[in-house]
Amino acid sequence: MTRCPLTLALFLLLFACPAFAARRISHHRHAAHHRHAPRKDGPAAAPVSALFLSDIHFDPLRDPIKAPRLNEAPVDQWAAILASPASPTQEADYAAINQLCPIKPLVDPSDQPLQSALTAIHDQAKATHVRFAVLSGDIVTHQFDCRYKLLFPKSTHAEYLAFVVKTFNYAVSSLRKALPGIPLYIAVGNNDTGCGDNKLNPRKDDFLRLTAPTVADALPTSDRARALRDFPRGYYGATLPARIAHTRILVLDNLYESAAYKTCAAQPDPAAEDPQLVWLSAQLKQVRARHQQAWVVGHIPPGVNLYSTYNLSPGFCGSGTPPAPFLADNKLNDLLAANADVVRLALFGHSHTDELRLLKPPPDSGSPPNTGVPLKILPSISPVFANLPSFTLATIDPRTATLQDSSVVMASNSTGIGTVWSKTYTFSEAYHLPDFSAGSLTQLITEFQSDPAADKPESQAYLRENRHYFFDDHSAPLQPNWRGYACAMDHISAASFTACACSTRAPAP
């Protein structure tokens, strides 16, 4: 038999066998559409355990008499100083400072409650075989500059900056001792600055430069050099542990996007966020080109600040007052939502509450239904909002980098004295969903929003599990504002949130 040339063979195969050609064309379209979908082929892999925490807000000045010793000592001597007996006038001295530098209904943790939290973190991480941890910012206490300058009125900016860096390094090194040998991915928050809350210089900030070695050293060895270079600019990328396939973790100091952001000279700078967003966009393009997946970690979440919105304007929908956004614009949300095909999870903190959000692409984007970036807001170690200190244990599907399940571990009190830490709820048990994916959150949020009176079991579960975060005496109670809380979960812009929260009709799914 005479063999056909290759081109003739291909011609005959495609055009003499139309069924085969149709299958090939269909296959290529299907592959293009799902190229970046989570990998689900093969048998289920054992989940990877992780630990998430946020908003430590450690305050080393709770015993003001110890402040001069801390100020002079290197950080490796701090543990002994902080553990020494309290001064007889501690409570009165600190109360006087708190009068002049007030923060919230309660106070941020001193060393004793911090050590209680670290012991619980160590024990839970060991029991659940945690393989990595994520800290989503605000390691340093509120109003730190005010408190320090009251105690050291003649101090220079350089001296204050050195003290903040030591505070940061002490808290991080203490956490690393509680998690020996475990990679720790650190984002910083709006109180992690060398020039006052919500202030940071654009580009290479001094505080970021001085803390970069601490952040880089907590990472896997292969990621340290890049993080040391990039962190002073307000971002860095790293790899998640090897068992989680082909996944990058992209970490932002997104104070630059905050609605409250100012430079260290107390000047607004709307362009300060631009280099960070350009970097993030380039990283996500690279992730897609390499057929990888990504997590994005920051501190201040996209969306509406519900605490401020309902406390500043209790009759929000009738007041004409716009909602209070966390961020100055929607650029970060839009960028993440546009990359929902590769971003498997976003982790943020800042609100001190255990919340969920879904960052959805615009309806006209052509994205498939139930698409979006699942976003988890992490509860805080600090009890400053009268919440009980908490952290999160998580399990990750290593093939898809999807957050499979999570449990919140909460303290019985905020003093660190006789404190018992125990699990309060597990996501899968409370909501009967298989994972924390876009599809699962779409289903859950739809159920929340179709239940404006919060009567259904899912809504009641959310209210029950969040009872420790909302108190009638100093914040808007959750249930009367349930519609707004449910709308905020996937209506991220101020206009979209207002239209949903103040509509007399049921929200559109």
Side-chain angles (χ1 to χ4, degrees):
M1 179 183 291
T2 304
R3 295 186 178 183
C4 298
L6 178 61
T7 52
L8 178 59
L10 288 174
F11 177 86
L12 292 172
L13 183 61
L14 288 174
F15 292 96
C17 303
F20 175 83
R23 284 196 300 271
R24 291 291 298 170
I25 293 169
S26 174
H27 169 77
H28 284 299
R29 287 175 177 169
H30 181 83
H33 182 73
H34 293 282
R35 186 171 296 147
H36 303 289
R39 300 170 179 85
K40 295 185 178 180
D41 297 328
V48 174
S49 296
L51 187 145
F52 305 151
L53 71 159
S54 190
D55 294 88
I56 294 175
H57 289 295
F58 171 59
D59 184 358
L61 302 176
R62 285 284 291 279
D63 192 348
I65 293 219
K66 295 179 181 178
R69 293 166 62 197
L70 294 171
N71 202 38
E72 295 297 325
V75 74
D76 60 6
Q77 296 178 16
W78 273 33
I81 296 170
L82 291 166
S84 64
S87 62
T89 58
Q90 175 188 4
E91 294 301 328
D93 293 343
Y94 186 74
I97 291 177
N98 221 30
Q99 286 289 322
L100 296 170
C101 303
I103 43 178
K104 300 291 179 187
L106 292 184
V107 292
D108 285 325
S110 62
D111 198 54
Q112 187 164 17
L114 174 62
Q115 295 304 321
S116 174
L118 294 174
T119 298
I121 286 168
H122 171 82
D123 293 346
Q124 293 285 348
K126 185 176 180 180
T128 57
H129 306 288
V130 160
R131 294 292 176 250
F132 69 97
V134 177
L135 170 57
S136 67
D138 270 1
I139 292 92
V140 175
T141 187
H142 298 85
Q143 293 270 39
F144 205 12
D145 57 335
C146 176
R147 293 159 184 268
Y148 182 87
K149 289 168 187 175
L150 276 176
L151 293 170
F152 302 100
K154 296 182 179 179
S155 62
T156 65
H157 171 70
E159 290 169 332
Y160 171 64
L161 177 61
F163 192 81
V164 179
V165 171
K166 286 197 292 185
T167 301
F168 181 92
N169 288 345
Y170 174 77
V172 171
S173 65
S174 298
L175 179 58
R176 292 191 65 195
K177 288 176 184 175
L179 297 167
I182 295 174
L184 174 62
Y185 303 90
I186 303 170
V188 289
N190 58 298
N191 296 117
D192 299 324
T193 81
C195 56
D197 296 353
N198 299 303
K199 295 176 184 175
L200 199 68
N201 280 325
R203 291 165 286 281
K204 292 188 177 181
D205 177 82
D206 283 341
F207 173 81
L208 298 182
R209 175 178 56 81
L210 292 171
T211 54
T214 301
V215 172
D217 193 53
L219 298 172
T221 305
S222 59
D223 295 310
R224 290 175 185 171
R226 285 192 301 272
L228 193 62
R229 179 197 68 197
D230 290 342
F231 182 76
R233 301 183 177 104
Y235 49 76
Y236 69 91
T239 53
L240 284 182
R243 277 199 59 217
I244 302 177
H246 313 295
T247 304
R248 298 281 292 163
I249 182 167
L250 308 174
V251 183
L252 310 173
D253 181 356
N254 76 317
L255 173 57
Y256 291 122
E257 280 96 43
S258 171
Y261 168 73
K262 287 184 171 56
T263 67
C264 288
Q267 297 299 312
D269 185 356
E273 67 177 342
D274 292 345
Q276 186 179 85
L277 294 175
V278 168
W279 175 85
L280 179 59
S281 178
Q283 290 292 306
L284 292 172
K285 287 179 182 176
Q286 188 178 84
V287 164
R288 181 179 289 101
R290 294 177 177 177
H291 307 294
Q292 296 174 328
Q293 306 165 116
W295 284 15
V296 176
V297 178
H299 180 66
I300 306 172
V304 170
N305 183 335
L306 295 166
Y307 179 87
S308 295
T309 295
Y310 284 109
N311 278 276
L312 296 177
S313 182
F316 164 67
C317 286
S319 68
T321 304
F326 281 121
L327 304 182
D329 54 50
N330 296 316
K331 292 178 182 178
L332 178 60
N333 169 68
D334 294 346
L335 177 57
L336 294 179
N339 288 276
D341 59 322
V342 294
V343 180
R344 299 285 171 254
L345 182 67
L347 293 172
F348 289 82
H350 189 60
S351 71
H352 292 220
T353 56
D354 179 62
E355 297 183 60
L356 59 88
R357 295 196 173 177
L358 181 62
L359 312 181
K360 300 189 297 188
D364 59 355
S365 66
S367 300
N370 300 340
T371 297
V373 175
L375 185 151
K376 185 168 181 61
I377 299 177
L378 302 173
S380 67
I381 296 295
S382 171
V384 75
F385 279 102
N387 56 290
L388 290 172
S390 305
F391 59 88
T392 303
L393 296 172
T395 54
I396 316 301
D397 184 332
R399 301 164 305 163
T400 66
T402 300
L403 175 57
Q404 197 172 60
D405 205 358
S406 61
S407 299
V408 170
V409 179
M410 184 176 286
S412 60
N413 62 54
S414 59
T415 65
I417 302 171
T419 307
V420 176
W421 292 76
S422 55
K423 291 183 183 180
T424 60
Y425 87 101
T426 297
F427 181 82
S428 60
E429 294 173 1
Y431 303 118
H432 310 290
L433 290 168
D435 53 29
F436 194 84
S437 64
S440 292
L441 293 193
T442 298
Q443 179 181 334
L444 183 59
I445 293 169
T446 299
E447 290 170 353
F448 287 157
Q449 293 177 354
S450 63
D451 182 27
D455 292 328
K456 293 181 179 178
E458 292 79 9
S459 304
Q460 286 295 308
Y462 189 92
L463 292 171
R464 182 172 62 252
E465 305 310 339
N466 284 278
R467 67 190 181 277
H468 298 286
Y469 303 114
F470 302 93
F471 290 77
D472 293 354
D473 58 344
H474 63 79
S475 68
L478 179 55
Q479 186 149 2
N481 299 298
W482 173 244
R483 184 187 182 99
Y485 277 87
C487 285
M489 293 175 185
D490 65 347
H491 290 76
I492 305 303
S493 73
S496 175
F497 167 77
T498 302
C500 176
C502 300
S503 172
T504 56
R505 297 178 296 177

